[in-house]
Amino acid sequence: MLIAAAVCPHPPLLVPAVAGAAAPELDALRAACREAVRRLIEGPGGRAPDLLVVVGGEATTRAYAPDAAGSLRPYGVDVTVGPGEPVLPLSLTIGRWLLGQAVDPAPARVRFQGVAQAAPPRECLRLGRELAGAAERVALLVMGDGSACRAEKPGDDDLDERAEPYDAAVARALRDADADALAALDPVLSGELLVAGRAAWQVLAGATGAAGGADGHGGFHGGFTGALLADVAPYGVAYFVASWLRGRP
């Protein structure tokens, strides 16, 4: 059963060694990611998960060994994250890096799951249900960026006028723990807006059962309390950070 989820973006610039002199520009985003991962590892009510699965988009759907590593060499720094062979895609590499930044130790059981970015919603939902059933208390670290078609600064013309409404809808869904809204995201529109997180977000929706609509009480939907910790687009790409915990606060 899914008990908690954290949603984080996966730009290489989250890693200060990659960002270099620009690293301070994303300090607030990094802090939000650390908080989301802290809540994930702690678990609702202070009860940690039995299994933590890092989910992120890539070319094909596949699972990786717990010791699988990722490399940031394609982004200009000789940094390997994890003890094994560097085979993880970018999304899971940044997810593994975020776990390594956590104050508290990660659970003993950690898995890495890639999902094809072009996978249809039904496949993503099914994968989410399978992951949620893998242990009694499952937590997901869901890696994904929003649209890459946003204005880079106020006053700029949007690259695609559909991007801001799309991202606003995703932000609401993450804030409200609205799994049904995530499940309903259009893969065609998501692809046109260069959204890297759609498939992974729909895995999260499947893990919750994509059940229930709003009850009108502070972001509690389908058994989860949601909190949106960051919603920014500093480089024309939307980055969200959110925390979902089962039960009311």
Side-chain angles (χ1 to χ4, degrees):
M1 179 178 70
L2 184 73
I3 62 162
V7 175
C8 293
H10 53 69
L13 291 176
L14 268 185
V15 180
V18 176
E25 297 176 8
L26 294 184
D27 279 348
L29 186 63
R30 292 186 193 96
C33 290
R34 286 195 297 270
E35 175 61 16
V37 172
R38 183 195 68 79
R39 296 183 188 189
L40 183 74
I41 292 173
E42 183 178 283
R47 293 184 59 200
D50 303 315
L51 172 66
L52 193 156
V53 185
V54 184
V55 180
E58 64 163 311
T60 60
T61 297
R62 59 170 294 188
Y64 294 88
D67 65 348
S71 174
L72 293 172
R73 284 185 180 178
Y75 305 96
V77 294
D78 189 9
V79 173
T80 298
V81 183
E85 183 71 18
V87 295
L88 296 177
L90 174 64
S91 60
L92 300 183
T93 298
I94 299 299
R96 173 144 223 162
W97 180 82
L98 287 174
L99 284 181
Q101 304 303 300
V103 175
D104 298 319
R109 295 178 62 197
V110 178
R111 288 170 50 183
F112 297 88
Q113 177 67 55
V115 57
Q117 290 184 332
R122 65 181 181 277
E123 292 184 11
C124 301
L125 296 171
R126 182 172 63 247
L127 176 59
R129 290 192 292 270
E130 292 172 357
L131 294 176
E136 182 176 353
R137 295 173 59 80
V138 176
L140 297 184
L141 174 53
V142 182
M143 308 300 298
D145 300 346
S147 76
C149 299
R150 294 280 293 276
E152 294 193 29
K153 60 184 178 180
D156 284 351
D157 291 333
D158 289 342
L159 296 177
D160 192 311
E161 63 183 8
R162 301 171 297 173
E164 287 198 35
Y166 178 100
D167 291 330
V170 172
R172 285 193 299 272
L174 295 177
R175 178 197 66 200
D176 296 339
D178 189 344
D180 290 338
L182 294 182
L185 291 173
D186 181 358
V188 174
L189 176 61
S190 301
E192 291 173 352
L193 295 178
L194 306 180
V195 176
R198 188 273 309 172
W201 298 333
Q202 290 184 326
V203 171
L204 168 59
T208 70
D215 70 357
H217 296 286
F220 182 81
H221 299 263
F224 287 84
T225 299
L228 185 64
L229 305 181
D231 174 9
V232 296
Y235 307 117
V237 182
Y239 300 141
F240 309 107
V241 181
S243 173
W244 290 16
L245 298 177
R246 181 172 288 278
R248 294 186 182 275

